[in-house]
Amino acid sequence: MAERAGERAVPAEEYEAVLARLDALEHAAAEIGTALDERTVCAELAAFLARWAADAALVELAMPDGAPPLHAAAGETALLDDSAAPAVLVLPMPARDGRELGRVRVARTGRAFTAHESAVVAHAVRLAAVHLGHARRLAATEATALHLQRALVAEPGRPHPNLEIAGRYLPAGARTLVGGDWFETVRLHFGRSLLVVGDVMGHGLDAAVDMNAYRGALREVAATDLPPHRVLRQLDAVVAGDEGRRPATCLLIQVDPARSTATFASAGHLPPVVFAADGTAELVDLPVGPPLGTGLGGYEPAVRTVTPADTLLMFTDGLVERRGEDIDHSLARLAALRLPPGSGPEAAVDEVLRRLDAHTAEDDVAVLAARVRERPAP
């Protein structure tokens, strides 16, 4: 390099080392932390170190609750024995609170690590530690949201004994934040029950908290024993007054076994299905109002006959929706199902989830099924 007045000339090899260091740091930022998953981050760190700074690398991540450490290795792993390589670096992975997440060992043959190379190793280790911290905080948030959701969905209100019910909640996968899918049953006067399925827009802990708020508000409004469409109107007005609350879709069915009727009302939700005694399915045609929280109202009822031979199935969109597929086609696939004749709520839920491969769905799935109990002969 040309030397300016008063400046020290930088040797060419030093200049090249600085450029190589900058290049390595740029690659570290691109190659480490591509996913917020502990195993992935450790594997990416080991691969980067073995490729850019050493002949071999070993990452040992301490796991919580006494679980065995997570290991990731790359390169000529035989060199990781201290006696097998003349140049070895061992660095701790520092957490944000000062604790040690684990340790990293790198080794190579030939020559010792230069100051620039050691700095690249240290930078990559610190970068991985930051991503690991983010991954663990995300995992903690996911666990909190999932436990909240499961606890809430697992404890719906009890309908009248004259109804059989079955419900399932399936999160969309181990690395996907849960959403605001939920179902509920509310016991009403004169042997009637209100069945509810809802879906708060979005995912994560906030959606689960909003879901709980919707559920609590619905229980209060439903206790007034209004028709389903008026319950939606009241709930929409309550939620619209809270600007921080997310919109939600909701489907209500008020079942009256004494009159053999079911009254439906929908706030932007997909229609339910009725499985007849022979196992054939029928989508219920009903008017659909706007999602809750808009303040627009406009909910209308639909009534149909139900008998002890019919099984009602309510669900959130994760059950049927598939990426790139028209929703009408998705619903048609559900309506084309034919269950074993006489399938009750438990069997219907299990069979529908299996036939639609809901356990691998890209979104959360909540399903609620109900059937009027057959009255014993006098």
Side-chain angles (χ1 to χ4, degrees):
M1 292 182 62
E3 182 180 357
R4 296 181 182 179
E7 292 184 354
R8 180 180 65 84
V10 178
E13 59 271 19
E14 177 71 10
Y15 181 68
E16 293 298 329
V18 171
L19 290 181
R21 176 176 172 179
L22 293 175
D23 188 36
L25 297 182
E26 183 177 347
H27 279 272
E31 297 174 12
I32 300 173
T34 61
L36 286 180
D37 174 80
E38 292 178 342
R39 189 174 298 277
T40 300
V41 172
C42 290
E44 290 172 346
L45 173 61
F48 170 82
L49 293 174
R51 184 165 57 253
W52 285 89
D55 295 325
L58 172 66
V59 179
E60 182 178 87
L61 179 66
M63 302 301 289
D65 302 324
L70 189 158
H71 293 91
E76 302 175 26
T77 54
L79 297 176
L80 295 170
D81 181 357
D82 287 354
S83 62
V88 176
L89 290 177
V90 180
L91 289 83
M93 286 193 292
R96 189 170 59 177
D97 60 4
R99 293 180 297 109
E100 188 175 300
L101 294 174
R103 302 184 76 79
V104 177
R105 180 188 298 271
V106 295
R108 76 177 187 188
T109 59
R111 57 186 176 83
F113 292 96
T114 67
H116 286 298
E117 291 165 341
S118 298
V120 168
V121 174
H123 174 84
V125 170
R126 290 194 301 271
L127 178 63
V130 170
H131 288 301
L132 288 169
H134 291 163
R136 288 193 169 178
R137 285 190 289 276
L138 174 60
T141 301
E142 287 179 341
T144 300
L146 183 57
H147 291 160
L148 172 62
Q149 182 118 22
R150 281 180 169 164
L152 293 172
V153 174
E155 298 180 0
R158 291 183 297 173
H160 273 279
N162 54 22
L163 279 189
E164 298 177 61
I165 66 165
R168 300 286 189 279
Y169 168 70
L170 302 178
R175 301 309 305 169
T176 302
L177 286 174
V178 296
D181 296 33
W182 56 287
F183 56 77
E184 178 64 281
T185 65
V186 181
R187 183 180 297 200
L188 303 174
H189 297 298
F190 310 115
R192 296 167 300 147
S193 294
L194 184 66
L195 310 178
V196 187
V197 168
D199 186 357
V200 178
M201 296 181 183
H203 290 85
L205 186 58
D206 290 342
V209 170
D210 280 354
M211 176 267 291
N212 188 34
Y214 271 102
R215 190 174 184 179
L218 180 129
R219 284 174 172 173
E220 292 185 11
V221 176
T224 61
D225 214 354
L226 293 170
H229 64 292
R230 292 187 60 188
V231 171
L232 289 180
R233 291 176 191 173
Q234 292 282 350
L235 190 56
D236 178 54
V238 170
V239 176
D242 185 350
E243 296 181 356
R245 200 66 66 199
R246 303 177 183 207
T249 64
C250 188
L251 173 66
L252 305 183
I253 305 179
Q254 186 185 97
V255 182
D256 187 344
R259 292 183 171 84
S260 298
T261 61
T263 304
F264 304 80
S266 174
H269 204 85
L270 295 178
V273 169
V274 177
F275 287 100
D278 62 358
T280 57
E282 177 192 356
L283 287 169
V284 179
D285 185 17
L286 69 160
V288 180
L292 298 173
T294 63
L296 299 176
Y299 308 108
E300 300 297 334
V303 182
R304 67 169 288 157
T305 299
V306 291
T307 72
D310 298 324
T311 297
L312 298 165
L313 184 82
M314 310 162 71
F315 53 91
T316 55
D317 53 13
L319 177 68
V320 295
E321 285 188 344
R322 300 295 180 263
R323 188 186 302 273
E325 181 179 82
D326 184 81
I327 188 59
D328 290 336
H329 181 73
S330 304
L331 290 172
R333 181 171 54 248
L334 171 61
L337 295 181
R338 182 158 187 164
L339 304 186
S343 296
E346 288 285 349
V349 168
D350 289 340
E351 189 70 7
V352 168
L353 292 177
R354 184 185 68 82
R355 301 268 289 274
L356 295 184
D357 199 20
H359 293 272
T360 61
E362 297 179 348
D363 197 2
D364 294 0
V365 176
V367 179
L368 179 65
R371 181 172 68 175
V372 175
R373 292 186 189 274
E374 189 81 52
R375 293 182 179 181

